[in-house]
């Protein structure tokens, strides 16, 4: 099927930041065959011509770090610091999860992501008490692209820790090429504070043997820095470097507390950072210095973290917050301009999580794109300033249509792959069963 999309403004989000007004995009075999100026000649041989009636078209957004199995925990444990939040609220509640809860929570989170324009995500989940394979099958049916990763913990008995590692390795082997490559996984040791050096070394082995990226929380709070220094005599980044973790492609979530020496290490090892501005603010963890990371040549993606610490998955809001925070902490409005911020939530974000085949509207990239109809939205006027509105005014609820692999997943704001009414009803029923 060769489909031609016409009568739209296409924001390519490529390195040149090309914008094609009254442009044209041709999709064939799940990929982009042409993107550029309208040409009547290119309509010849089309199986389908889709008139977009003046919509804005941009690449699907990329959420570089999430926890969709925590979606049912939205609003639980508000106004707490990270350590007590995890230990007294989140981990005890997650221990009550079963496969039904996990699958419903995953669907609810993906539903929110899809309807707000996210087409690609990278996630790590707590596997305790659930059938991880069944949850992955549920995710596959939604049509989303991403990496869903089994978290490795050094918690519980020695036998429980061994079992966790065995399950993580099996999951990595079975799902590194899922849904014909639309889904994959990473090796996800939770953090330097929740994993022993032995568990981190096992994570490294699994990663190398399966040619997978590592996804890990690092340098999120001042407490973590002090804790790791007390345990191992060095800060978290150096601890992981010495263990060889960074010898594998790695994306580290947060990176709130970093110094110049650590940024040099991340650059040397091509470690990528998933920046979670709203979650870091809500948990009181601090504000990551993203400008310094970018100045050092480090790839950064924007991310929401879980809705338990956010409390939504709107990447438009997340990206706007990221940009405004950098301007605020530097007291310099020129820092982190709109084009750069949007690149981090599209093309560069995709590169950061090892998915450079998406994230921009370019020939041979996957046909993952979203549309916005601006003409009936007061906050997107005047239309002529669209390049500004996409960062400073747009919101997830503005998204009309979502395409992944050229297939329509959301049409006119309605998700076609998830029974919205059923999932919402099930989420509320199951959440009421939690013992708090």
């Amino acid at each position: 099927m060769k489909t031609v999309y016409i009568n739209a403004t296409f924001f390519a989000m490529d390195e040149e930041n090309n914008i094609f007004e009254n442009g044209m995009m041709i999709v064939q075999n799940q990929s982009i065959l042409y993107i550029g100026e309208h040409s009547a000649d290119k309509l010849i041989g089309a199986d389908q011509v889709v008139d977009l009636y003046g919509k804005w078209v941009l690449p699907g957004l990329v959420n570089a770090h999430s926890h969709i199995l925590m979606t049912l925990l939205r609003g639980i444990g508000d106004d707490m610091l990270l350590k007590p939040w995890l230990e007294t609220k989140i981990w005890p509640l997650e221990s009550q999860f079963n496969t039904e809860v996990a699958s419903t929570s995953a669907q609810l989170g993906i539903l929110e992501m899809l309807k707000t324009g996210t087409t690609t995500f990278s996630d790590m989940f707590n596997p305790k008490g659930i059938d991880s394979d069944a949850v992955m099958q549920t995710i596959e049916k939604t049509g989303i692209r991403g990496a869903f990763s089994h978290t490795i913990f050094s918690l519980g008995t020695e036998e429980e820790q061994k079992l966790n590692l065995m399950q993580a390795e099996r999951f990595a082997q079975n799902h590194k090429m899922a849904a014909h490559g639309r889904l994959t996984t990473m090796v996800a040791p939770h953090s330097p504070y929740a994993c022993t050096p032995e568990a981190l070394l096992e994570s490294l082995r699994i990663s190398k043997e399966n040619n997978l990226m590592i996804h890990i929380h690092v340098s999120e709070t001042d407490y973590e820095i002090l804790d790791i220094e007390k345990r191992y005599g060095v800060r978290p980044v150096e601890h992981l470097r010495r263990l060889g973790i960074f010898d594998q492609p790695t994306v580290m979530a947060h990176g709130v507390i970093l110094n110049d020496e650590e940024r040099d290490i991340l650059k040397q090892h091509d470690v990528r950072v998933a920046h979670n501005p709203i979650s870091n603010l809500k948990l009181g963890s601090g504000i990551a210095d993203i400008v310094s990371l970018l100045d050092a040549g480090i790839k950064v993606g924007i991310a929401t973290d879980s809705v338990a610490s956010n409390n939504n998955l709107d990447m438009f809001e997340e990206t706007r917050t990221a940009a405004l925070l950098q301007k605020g902490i530097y007291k310099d409005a020129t820092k982190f301009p709109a084009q750069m911020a949007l690149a981090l939530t599209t093309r560069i974000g995709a590169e950061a999580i090892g998915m450079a085949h998406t994230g921009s509207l370019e020939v041979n990239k996957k046909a993952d794109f979203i549309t916005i109809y601006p003409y009936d939205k007061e906050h997107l006027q005047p239309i002529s300033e669209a390049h500004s509105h996409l960062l400073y005014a747009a919101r997830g609820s503005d998204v009309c249509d979502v395409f992944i692999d050229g297939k329509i997943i959301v049409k006119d704001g309605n998700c076609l792959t998830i029974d919205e009414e059923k999932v919402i009803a099930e989420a509320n029923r199951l959440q009421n069963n939690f013992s708090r």
Side-chain angles (χ1 to χ4, degrees), residues 6-27:
I6 62 171
N7 192 18
T9 298
F10 294 88
F11 297 84
M13 300 296 175
D14 54 10
E15 289 189 14
E16 293 77 29
N17 287 305
N18 281 308
I19 300 174
F20 302 102
E21 296 185 12
N22 189 29
M24 171 185 283
M25 185 168 71
I26 303 175
V27 173

Side-chain angles (χ1 to χ4, degrees), residues 18 65 132 135 137 161 164 167 197 199 224 239 254 257 301 309 316 427:
N18 281 308
H65 175 72
S132 304
V135 177
Q137 290 171 5
Q161 293 178 38
N164 176 266
Q167 291 172 334
E224 177 191 341
H239 175 56
H254 302 294
I257 315 296
S309 62
F316 284 97

Side-chain angles (χ1 to χ4, degrees), residues 114 175 206 235 241 251 277 344 357 435:
L114 289 172
H175 297 291
I206 296 168
R235 288 161 63 99
R241 187 198 68 79
V251 55
L344 264 57
H357 52 288
S435 175

Side-chain angles (χ1 to χ4, degrees), residues 22 44 62 102 121 136 149 185 189 235 247 271 280 332 334 370 376 401:
N22 189 29
I44 299 172
V62 178
F121 76 117
M136 189 63 141
S149 307
T185 187
R235 288 161 63 99
D247 293 341
V271 176
N280 294 153
D332 183 347
T334 68
I370 64 177
D376 59 357
D401 312 304

Side-chain angles (χ1 to χ4, degrees), residues 385-400:
E385 305 307 313
H387 62 285
S388 171
H389 301 335
L390 287 174
L391 177 65
Y392 294 117
R395 44 186 181 250
S397 57
D398 295 330
V399 173
C400 295

Side-chain angles (χ1 to χ4, degrees), residues 107-403:
Q107 288 181 82
L108 185 61
I110 291 172
L111 176 63
E112 184 178 353
M113 283 197 283
L114 289 172
K115 292 185 68 171
T116 55
T118 294
T119 59
T120 301
F121 76 117
S122 180
D123 192 280
M124 59 166 67
F125 67 94
N126 188 337
K128 190 172 183 180
I130 69 171
D131 181 343
S132 304
D133 296 328
V135 177
M136 189 63 141
Q137 290 171 5
T138 297
I139 294 170
E140 181 174 345
K141 294 175 184 177
T142 69
I144 200 167
R145 185 182 308 285
F148 186 62
S149 307
H150 182 296
T151 308
I152 294 170
F153 288 102
S154 296
L155 304 175
T157 67
E158 185 176 339
E159 287 303 311
E160 288 174 327
Q161 293 178 38
K162 288 181 179 179
L163 178 62
N164 176 266
L165 281 165
M166 289 174 57
Q167 291 172 334
E169 183 165 15
R170 183 193 60 78
F171 191 84
Q173 292 168 344
N174 291 348
H175 297 291
K176 56 188 174 183
M177 185 61 73
H180 305 288
R182 179 167 46 80
L183 294 174
T184 186
T185 187
M186 298 184 187
V187 181
H190 181 274
S191 58
Y193 59 84
C195 291
T196 63
E198 293 75 19
L200 290 169
L201 289 172
E202 276 295 283
S203 300
L204 178 60
R205 177 188 65 79
I206 296 168
S207 172
K208 286 182 176 178
E209 291 180 2
N210 291 279
N211 192 29
L212 292 172
M213 290 188 73
I214 291 175
H215 186 177
I216 181 170
H217 302 87
V218 186
S219 298
E220 187 171 358
T221 65
D222 290 320
Y223 178 86
E224 177 191 341
I225 304 297
L226 295 172
D227 179 41
I228 297 303
E229 281 185 319
K230 183 177 180 180
R231 294 194 212 182
Y232 306 113
V234 292
R235 288 161 63 99
V237 168
E238 176 62 13
H239 175 56
L240 295 174
R241 187 198 68 79
R242 290 184 181 184
L243 289 171
I245 296 297
F246 297 152
D247 293 341
Q248 275 295 100
T250 300
V251 55
M252 56 178 257
H254 302 294
V256 178
I257 315 296
L258 295 171
N259 58 33
D260 288 342
E261 181 181 351
E262 289 167 324
R263 282 186 281 269
D264 287 343
I265 292 172
L266 300 184
K267 171 59 178 174
Q268 291 167 13
H269 293 271
D270 192 24
V271 176
R272 299 89 186 271
V273 175
H275 174 44
N276 305 260
I278 296 177
S279 177
N280 294 153
L281 288 172
K282 188 184 178 192
L283 291 169
S285 301
I287 301 171
D289 185 348
I290 299 305
V291 169
S292 290
L293 288 172
L294 295 174
D295 286 347
I298 296 164
K299 284 189 175 69
V300 177
I302 306 295
T304 60
D305 212 343
S306 79
V307 298
S309 62
N310 189 298
N311 289 39
N312 66 50
L313 298 170
D314 186 341
M315 286 295 294
F316 284 97
E317 179 182 354
E318 201 75 40
T319 308
R320 178 163 53 252
T321 302
L324 296 176
L325 281 173
Q326 297 304 303
K327 295 173 187 298
I329 62 174
Y330 274 91
K331 298 181 180 179
D332 183 347
T334 68
K335 299 294 186 183
F336 211 41
Q339 287 184 343
M340 175 57 71
L342 290 168
L344 264 57
T345 200
T346 53
R347 174 177 52 84
I348 296 175
E351 293 171 357
I353 60 172
M355 298 188 186
H357 52 288
T358 187
S360 59
L361 304 182
E362 298 182 73
V363 173
N364 294 327
K365 286 203 173 184
K366 291 295 184 179
D368 299 347
F369 59 98
I370 64 177
T371 75
I372 292 174
Y373 185 74
Y375 294 97
D376 59 357
K377 297 177 176 62
E378 301 83 0
H379 60 285
L380 299 182
Q381 310 307 318
I383 298 294
S384 60
E385 305 307 313
H387 62 285
S388 171
H389 301 335
L390 287 174
L391 177 65
Y392 294 117
R395 44 186 181 250
S397 57
D398 295 330
V399 173
C400 295
D401 312 304
V402 175
F403 295 78

